Amino acid sequence: MENENLTPAKFADKLQINRANISHILNGRNNPSLDVVARILSEMPYINSEWLINGTGEMYKRGFDVNSIPLEHDLFHQSPAPSHQEELRVEKKEASEVIEAEKRTQPVETKSVVVNENREKKISQIIIYYNDNTFETFLPQSAK
């Protein structure tokens, strides 16, 4: 995780496993399951399986460039500021997306809803349950 610049939460999300699993592994409560090892090797094929399973050998497979790992954006690892050309491209793209969204919008039909607040509620029955699993039902005089 350190070499990949990932927090435990980001690592769990990358592997699509429960964050608690990573926490338990890091705290020594559990050992990684075969599923976790398989997901790491599947998601990060450049990791040496012998190193991951046995702790022997190099962490990365031969020929892998460590500098090619994309850094996770945080306060200390920021990507360079976009160039002026990139900013213009993003602005044009956002403007065209807004225009497309406006074309897709449909007029909204408004309807008024009348709420009857003076509706009189009447009790139809009352059921009392007792702790000995018996019950009684009471009906109002008019419902009998």
Side-chain angles (χ1 to χ4, degrees), residues 3 8 13-14 18 20 25 58-60 62 68 71 78 98 103 107 112 115 118 133 137 139 141:
N3 286 12
D13 293 345
K14 183 173 184 167
N18 191 324
I25 292 167
E58 295 295 317
M59 179 177 173
Y60 296 109
R62 284 193 182 123
S68 67
L71 294 177
Q78 297 291 327
V98 168
K103 288 179 183 176
S112 60
V115 178
N118 293 332
N133 294 328
T137 304
L139 299 171
Q141 295 289 351

Side-chain angles (χ1 to χ4, degrees), residues 120-133:
E120 189 177 324
K121 294 182 178 182
K122 295 182 181 179
I123 297 173
S124 61
Q125 72 179 18
I126 299 173
I127 302 174
I128 299 176
Y129 295 95
Y130 298 101
N131 61 358
D132 65 351
N133 294 328

Side-chain angles (χ1 to χ4, degrees), residues 16-67:
Q16 298 177 349
I17 60 175
N18 191 324
R19 292 177 178 184
N21 289 348
I22 296 297
S23 175
H24 292 178
I25 292 167
L26 293 175
N27 293 329
R29 180 177 172 188
N30 296 348
N31 288 326
S33 66
L34 179 60
D35 180 53
V36 171
V37 172
R39 285 177 187 251
I40 292 170
L41 294 174
S42 173
E43 193 62 38
M44 302 171 186
Y46 46 86
I47 299 289
N48 181 355
S49 60
E50 184 179 331
W51 173 85
L52 184 63
I53 296 169
N54 299 322
T56 58
E58 295 295 317
M59 179 177 173
Y60 296 109
K61 291 181 179 177
R62 284 193 182 123
F64 177 74
D65 181 17
V66 177
N67 297 324

